[in-house]
Amino acid sequence: MRILLVEDERKVAEMVSRGLKAERYAVDVAENGGAGWAMAEATKYDLVILDLGLPGMDGSEVLRRIRAHDLRTPILVLTARDATSSKVENFEAGADDYLTKPFAFAELVVRIKALLRRGPANQESVVRVADLEIDRLSQQVRRGGHRIELTPKEYGLLDYLASHPGRVLSRTMIVEHVWDQSFEGLTNIVDVYVRHVRAKVDDMFPLKLIRTVRGVGYKLSEDEGQ
Ligand code: CA
C-alpha cells in the first residue's frame, strides 16, 4: 500500500511517515500543495493524507484537483481548524475522513485502515456475530434467541459496531457516527454507553462479543485477537 502524505510541518510529516513505514506502508511526502498535487497526478496512490494549511497551493485546492482527476483514492484531511463548516465543505469537496490536529498516531492508523478496507458498508439487514443477532430493519436485538431491549443510543452504538464486524472503531469514530455533529462532549461517553450495552448483551454470557482494543476503541467480534 502506497500512501502520499502532503504536510508542510516537518515534525508532523516525519512522525507520521516514520510511524506508517513501521506499519509497512510505503510513504511519499510532499511539503507543499503544488508538489502534492503533482505527485498525486503522476502516481496512483492507495490513500492520500492531506494537510489543509499548506504554503502555495492550499490543501482545499489540492483536494479539489485530486477529486476532479480521480474519484476513488481515499483522502484523509488533517486540519487544525476545528470549525464544523470547514469540515462540511471538505466532505462536500470529496474528503473521505478528517482528523483534527493534534491527533494520536494510533487514531490515524485506525482511520487509515478503515479507509483502505472500506468496501461497501455491511448492508445485510440481519447481522449475526456468534449467537448475537441484530435485525437492522426492525432494530431488534437477540442473543441466544432472547430479545434484548436497548435504548435508541445503545442500539445506535451496537448497530455501528455491527456495521463493521471485526474492525476496530475508535472512540472518536463512534462519537461521530452515533452522536450528532453538535456533540462536543468527551469521547468517554462512549465508554459509558459500551458499559450499558455490555450489561445487556455480554454480561450473562461466557463469550464476550464487544471487545476493548486498548488505547484505541472497540470492536464487535467473537475472536479474542486483534
Ligand atoms: Ca500545515
Side-chain angles (χ1 to χ4, degrees):
M1 291 284 183
R2 190 162 171 193
I3 296 176
L4 172 63
L5 170 64
V6 189
E7 169 62 83
D8 61 311
E9 254 174 277
R10 202 158 278 176
K11 269 170 78 178
V12 177
E14 273 169 18
M15 182 272 281
V16 170
S17 102
R18 201 179 324 118
L20 291 178
K21 284 173 184 164
E23 296 276 329
R24 305 207 191 126
Y25 295 109
V27 185
D28 296 332
V29 179
E31 291 186 352
N32 60 62
W37 161 237
M39 288 161 81
E41 192 185 20
T43 304
K44 177 91 190 79
Y45 287 98
D46 296 295
L47 181 120
V48 178
I49 303 169
L50 177 65
D51 183 32
L52 276 193
L54 292 168
M57 192 191 296
D58 167 75
S60 312
E61 177 58 22
V62 178
L63 177 61
R64 259 189 296 277
R65 291 195 186 193
I66 295 175
R67 267 300 165 258
H69 172 74
D70 160 29
L71 286 172
R72 301 176 70 168
T73 306
I75 301 176
L76 189 155
V77 159
L78 303 180
T79 174
R81 307 166 197 171
D82 200 21
T84 304
S85 62
S86 81
K87 286 175 184 169
V88 172
E89 277 165 26
N90 285 310
F91 276 111
E92 282 171 357
D96 297 277
D97 200 359
Y98 64 86
L99 204 50
T100 305
K101 291 178 181 176
F103 53 84
F105 182 71
E107 176 76 27
L108 177 68
V109 170
V110 170
R111 303 290 182 117
I112 288 173
K113 288 186 175 165
L115 287 173
L116 288 174
R117 280 188 290 181
R118 188 167 70 182
N122 193 333
Q123 295 303 329
E124 294 288 314
S125 66
V126 179
V127 178
R128 287 187 185 84
V129 178
D131 58 349
L132 174 69
E133 200 178 284
I134 301 156
D135 185 329
R136 306 181 75 197
L137 287 179
S138 64
Q139 305 205 338
Q140 289 193 357
V141 177
R142 288 172 192 276
R143 181 132 192 215
H146 298 285
R147 177 87 186 270
I148 294 171
E149 299 291 344
L150 298 174
T151 66
K153 274 283 174 271
E154 291 167 356
Y155 178 81
L157 171 63
L158 185 63
D159 181 69
Y160 181 53
L161 290 172
S163 67
H164 303 80
R167 292 192 197 167
V168 184
L169 303 171
S170 74
R171 289 176 176 80
T172 320
M173 291 163 87
I174 295 169
V175 163
E176 285 169 6
H177 282 88
V178 180
W179 281 263
D180 60 43
Q181 281 221 325
S182 62
F183 183 80
E184 295 287 338
L186 299 168
T187 51
N188 56 21
I189 185 93
V190 173
D191 302 323
V192 172
Y193 273 83
V194 164
R195 226 175 299 137
H196 294 170
V197 176
R198 274 181 171 151
K200 295 178 178 178
V201 168
D202 267 348
D203 279 4
M204 57 287 261
F205 296 90
L207 176 65
K208 309 302 179 197
L209 299 176
I210 300 170
R211 301 195 174 267
T212 304
V213 181
R214 244 172 198 235
V216 184
Y218 296 98
K219 66 175 179 176
L220 184 66
S221 170
E222 55 188 303
D223 305 317
E224 298 236 3
Q226 275 196 228

